[in-house]
Amino acid sequence: TQLLEQSPQFLSIQEGENLTVYCNSSSVFSSLQWYRQEPGEGPVLLVTVVTGGEVKKLKRLTFQFGDARKDSSLHITAAQPGDTGLYLCAGVSNTGFQKLVFGTGTRLLVSP
Amino acid sequence: KAGVTQTPRYLIKTRGQQVTLSCSPISGHRSVSWYQQTPGQGLQFLFEYFSETQRNKGNFPGRFSGRQFSNSRSEMNVSTLELGDSALYLCASSPREGYGYTFGSGTRLTVV
């Protein structure tokens, strides 16, 4: 069974602080996606990383895929209240047809 | 362009009843997947359909079933409902493998 562990589970910070969320697994994934989910809504795709070692930047968000394609990280610079939400990593199974294995989630609260 | 539409948004059912949830994917998206989200288990994969064929199934009992129609719309059915089936059921569509998913807002099912 493929599992993705995220840390930390909860993060409460002040506006302007930096933070990093980690997503780790013992399994290899063909690619990894990051989503953000707000209460009462479905997850919204932020980025897909495909190549081991890949780094992608989306404004203040930086995503990295581990060299072995087993782990990933999300770094937010100068967090804003609008960044508040549940952050989910999701690995695309290496075993065949498209199936997402979701991480355990990181709930972020950014206070003004 | 219209997003993924799930109906109904909220549903209250009694133990032992059955329920059918509907999902209309983004036009042109042929892959439709279903996920169950609960506070304790997070997001868990139910099944994935592509061109009316179920290509992948998660570890859920046979009470959970689904289908996809020729227009890519999908339904999932849960029979003999149990209290533990209370969850947010999310549908997601994707144009093809390797692409990120677009999620609907979900159907919140409460079993009493």
Side-chain angles (χ1 to χ4, degrees), chain B residues 61-89:
Chain B
R63 300 185 296 106
F64 291 81
S65 63
R67 59 179 176 168
Q68 186 181 34
F69 302 95
S70 58
N71 61 359
S72 292
R73 190 178 71 86
S74 178
E75 288 181 348
M76 68 163 281
N77 184 276
V78 187
S79 62
T80 320
L81 285 165
E82 300 177 359
L83 295 178
D85 296 333
S86 295
L88 181 66
Y89 289 88

Side-chain angles (χ1 to χ4, degrees), chain A residues 37 41, chain B residues 35-38 86-90 105-109:
Chain A
Q37 185 177 23
E41 297 297 327
Chain B
Y35 291 83
Q36 180 196 65
Q37 187 175 28
T38 59
S86 295
L88 181 66
Y89 289 88
L90 291 159
S105 297
T107 293
R108 169 78 61 188
L109 172 65

Side-chain angles (χ1 to χ4, degrees), chain A residues 2-6 23-25 29 32 89-91 101-104:
Chain A
Q2 295 175 303
L3 294 172
L4 276 166
E5 294 286 335
Q6 284 184 240
C23 173
N24 295 297
S25 175
F29 293 97
L32 199 133
C89 63
V101 176
F102 275 91
T104 46

Side-chain angles (χ1 to χ4, degrees), chain A residues 29-62:
Chain A
F29 293 97
S30 59
S31 64
L32 199 133
Q33 301 172 2
W34 282 91
Y35 292 82
R36 183 171 73 202
Q37 185 177 23
E38 298 190 20
E41 297 297 327
V44 174
L45 178 68
L46 296 173
V47 77
T48 300
V49 284
V50 179
T51 308
E54 182 177 2
V55 177
K56 275 193 175 177
K57 291 193 176 185
L58 191 69
K59 296 183 182 177
R60 294 176 293 101
L61 279 60
T62 301

